[in-house]
């Protein structure tokens, strides 16, 4: 073990980039909640706070402050950008990094069309800088946040990992696809690399405590935070983007997956690294395998919250597909993972977070 700066010993550490954000914070709390005394590790978060809130005078972002309160454990936090090679090296010097979970990225599909350079810079240059630093310090185990977005327009449903990727329109989607291609090349170039690219479908929900949740800055782009902000009275009504798709009720169908289940998927990916000889690039879907329409989501949320969610049907949103949902067989086989939380769980937990934190972390 490396000696800590205060004379204590340091455990092997998991570096979590973007760990102050939505999926990252839920993964951090899940890892800490499930930590066993027999297998200690440190959690080190690097985040530039471009999409995470830190209260004035606080050293750590609010999500991490609350995780420390809930778990009684310490998280090492670095306020830095993953494009900053010096800052990353400093982290690897200070901790005994064993593996990396890489969440840090810009993620707004529409914004990425307006600001492609910013998206390629953050998502691709940042990712390459991280990989260079990992290689410099001999760290080769990586879990990457990928997305069902890499599949583009579904050619068949449910979508399995063999579905073609890369025929994409948005710079955001392309950045996820390009990173997957880079990771494949890395694994071909050096057998030391072990990379699991988790292709999330639509993450929703919040920690069951109601203290940690999704806190989008400005008007939400995604359906679930929009619905919950309407239910709590922050927004007047939901706009339903099209009801003329060939789906159960004409509205878009997606595979919503509870963020706590996603978090568990990351923990299982880390376990896979312990299998002797495990290496190479592996893309794995994380979803439930079931699709729900926009109107089914509205109804389920109304039932869970006891609030009404007024909506108005408007035109389709550019770039939207009618339906997608995952084939989750590979996650079951490789990770022994499956989603255990259902739609009422997702709505109930989202509502608890929204009701208790109507203004998100800033309240
Ligand atoms: P998020 O915005 O809540 O979290 C990302 C975090 O990364 C934020 O805290 C942000 O401040 C930080 N960050 C961004 N750029 C950075 C940089 N250059 N250096 C350091 N930190 C940086 O997003 P999320 O929903 O938690 O998504 C996490 C990952 O999952 C992303 O890679 C995203 O592309 C992927 N993903 C998200 C979804 C989704 O719908 N939420 C779906 C599929 C994939
Ligand atoms: C879901 C459904 C909308 C908002 C996005 C990204 C994807 C991935 C997951 C990161 C669709 C409808 C939405 C609203 C609506 N993210 N909708 N009114 O588009 O499936 O996926 O998040 O990788 O890359 O594109 O999710 O939540 O935006 O939309 O009617 O105000 O809800 O049309 O049918 P999407 P979403």
């Amino acid at each position: 073990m490396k000696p800590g700066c205060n004379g204590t010993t340091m455990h092997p550490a998991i570096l979590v980039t973007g760990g102050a954000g939505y999926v990252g914070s839920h993964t951090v709390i899940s890892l800490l909640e499930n930590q066993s005394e027999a297998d200690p590790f440190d959690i080190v978060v690097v985040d530039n706070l471009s999409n995470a809130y830190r209260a004035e005078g606080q050293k750590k972002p609010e999500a991490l402050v609350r995780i420390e309160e809930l778990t009684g454990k310490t998280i090492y936090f670095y306020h830095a950008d993953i494009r900053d090679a010096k800052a990353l090296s400093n982290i690897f010097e200070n901790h005994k990094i064993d593996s990396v979970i890489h969440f840090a990225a810009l993620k707004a599909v529409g914004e990425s069309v307006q600001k492609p350079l910013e998206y390629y810079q953050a998502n691709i240059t940042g990712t390459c800088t991280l990989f260079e630093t990992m290689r410099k310090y001999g760290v080769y185990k990586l879990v990457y946040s990928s997305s069902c977005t890499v599949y583009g327009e579904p050619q068949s449903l449910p979508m399995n990992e063999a579905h073609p990727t890369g025929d994409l329109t948005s710079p955001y989607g392309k950045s996820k696809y390009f990173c997957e291609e880079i990771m494949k090349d890395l694994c071909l170039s050096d057998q030391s690399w072990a990379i699991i690219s988790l292709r999330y479908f639509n993450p929703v929900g919040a920690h069951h405590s109601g203290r940690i949740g999704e806190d989008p800055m400005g008007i939400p782009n995604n359906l679930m935070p929009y619905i919950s902000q309407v239910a709590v009275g922050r927004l007047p009504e939901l706009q339903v983007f099209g009801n003329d798709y060939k789906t159960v009720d004409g509205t878009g169908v997606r595979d919503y997956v509870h963020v706590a289940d996603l978090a568990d998927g990351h923990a299982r990916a880390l376990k896979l690294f312990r299998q002797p000889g495990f290496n190479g690039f592996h893309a794995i879907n994380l979803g439930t395998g079931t699709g729900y329409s926009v109107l089914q989501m509205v109804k389920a949320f109304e039932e869970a919250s006891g609030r009404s969610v007024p909506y108005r049907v408007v035109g389709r949103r550019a770039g939207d597909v009618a339906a997608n949902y995952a084939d989750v067989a590979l996650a079951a086989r490789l990770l022994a993972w499956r989603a255990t939380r259902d739609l009422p769980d997702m709505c109930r937990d989202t509502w608890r977070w929204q009701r208790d934190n109507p203004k998100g972390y800033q309240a």
Side-chain angles (χ1 to χ4, degrees):
M1 281 185 214
K2 252 184 173 179
C5 29
N6 57 2
T8 58
T9 50
M10 274 189 186
H11 302 302
I14 303 166
L15 175 62
V16 184
T17 76
Y22 174 45
V23 188
S25 58
H26 285 82
T27 301
V28 167
I29 192 166
S30 170
L31 289 170
L32 290 175
E33 283 172 340
N34 293 305
Q35 190 174 42
S36 83
E37 278 181 25
D39 190 15
F41 54 81
D42 290 335
I43 296 282
V44 180
V45 168
V46 57
D47 198 299
N48 69 358
L49 304 186
S50 59
N51 198 28
Y53 173 72
R54 178 170 65 174
E56 232 178 285
Q58 283 279 15
K59 286 208 170 71
K60 294 179 188 175
E62 183 62 20
L64 301 188
V65 170
R66 293 188 184 190
I67 293 172
E68 290 185 334
E69 278 168 19
L70 287 164
T71 61
K73 292 177 181 162
T74 300
I75 299 162
Y76 297 88
F77 174 67
Y78 291 83
H79 181 193
D81 195 293
I82 53 162
R83 285 163 289 188
D84 182 344
K86 249 183 157 171
L88 286 184
S89 286
N90 179 48
I91 297 171
F92 281 76
E93 292 287 341
N94 287 348
H95 301 270
K96 193 173 176 279
I97 306 295
D98 174 67
S99 51
V100 177
I101 312 182
H102 179 29
F103 295 103
L106 299 178
K107 65 162 183 179
V109 177
E111 185 186 61
S112 77
V113 179
Q114 309 304 321
K115 299 180 174 176
L117 273 183
E118 283 82 349
Y119 273 69
Y120 290 133
Q121 267 285 344
N123 296 5
I124 300 181
T125 309
T127 296
C128 288
T129 308
L130 173 69
F131 293 168
E132 281 168 356
T133 313
M134 290 176 67
R135 187 177 58 182
K136 178 172 151 194
Y137 288 90
V139 177
Y140 294 103
K141 290 180 264 181
L142 174 82
V143 183
Y144 176 75
S145 288
S146 189
S147 168
C148 63
T149 203
V150 298
Y151 295 123
E153 183 83 37
Q155 292 176 10
S156 56
L157 287 170
M159 303 177 98
N160 70 24
E161 291 80 355
H163 186 287
T165 57
D167 187 10
L168 305 168
T169 49
S170 81
Y172 167 73
K174 287 180 193 172
S175 75
K176 291 277 135 183
Y177 165 71
F178 292 150
C179 282
E180 283 204 349
E181 294 301 301
I182 291 167
M183 293 185 291
K184 285 179 196 169
D185 288 341
L186 266 187
C187 290
L188 286 176
S189 74
D190 184 342
Q191 295 196 349
S192 310
W193 287 97
I195 300 182
I196 299 177
S197 184
L198 296 176
R199 293 176 177 163
Y200 317 152
F201 277 66
N202 289 53
V204 296
H207 188 257
H208 59 82
S209 64
R211 297 281 295 155
I212 315 288
E214 184 171 14
D215 185 19
M217 287 184 179
I219 307 254
N221 296 308
N222 296 117
L223 180 67
M224 192 63 140
Y226 207 109
I227 288 179
S228 67
Q229 290 196 15
V230 171
V232 84
R234 240 173 109 172
L235 292 168
E237 66 175 6
L238 171 73
Q239 298 194 344
V240 175
F241 298 142
N243 65 353
D244 55 354
Y245 290 107
K246 281 189 186 152
T247 61
V248 58
D249 55 21
T251 65
V253 165
R254 298 290 184 274
D255 184 339
Y256 298 92
V257 54
H258 198 297
V259 67
D261 280 326
L262 280 190
D264 180 41
H266 292 75
R268 284 169 191 261
L270 291 176
K271 277 195 187 132
L272 206 51
F273 292 144
R274 295 180 171 198
Q275 271 185 16
F278 181 82
N279 70 351
F281 175 84
H282 304 266
I284 305 176
N285 287 341
L286 293 185
T288 63
T290 302
Y292 291 104
S293 74
V294 175
L295 295 183
Q296 287 170 333
M297 294 299 288
V298 169
K299 186 163 175 282
F301 201 88
E302 288 183 329
E303 280 168 12
S305 65
R307 298 284 180 105
S308 78
V309 178
Y311 68 84
R312 185 161 52 94
V313 177
V314 298
R316 291 181 178 192
R317 183 171 65 178
D320 271 354
V321 301
N324 73 5
Y325 44 94
D327 181 325
V328 289
L330 188 63
R333 199 163 75 242
L334 269 186
L335 301 178
W337 177 92
R338 70 177 178 84
T340 59
R341 294 157 180 91
D342 61 11
L343 185 57
D345 295 329
M346 299 179 210
C347 293
R348 196 191 48 237
D349 289 343
T350 304
W351 174 242
R352 188 184 298 111
W353 155 254
Q354 185 68 69
R355 184 197 60 199
D356 294 355
N357 306 269
K359 292 187 177 148
Y361 286 118
Q362 298 202 35

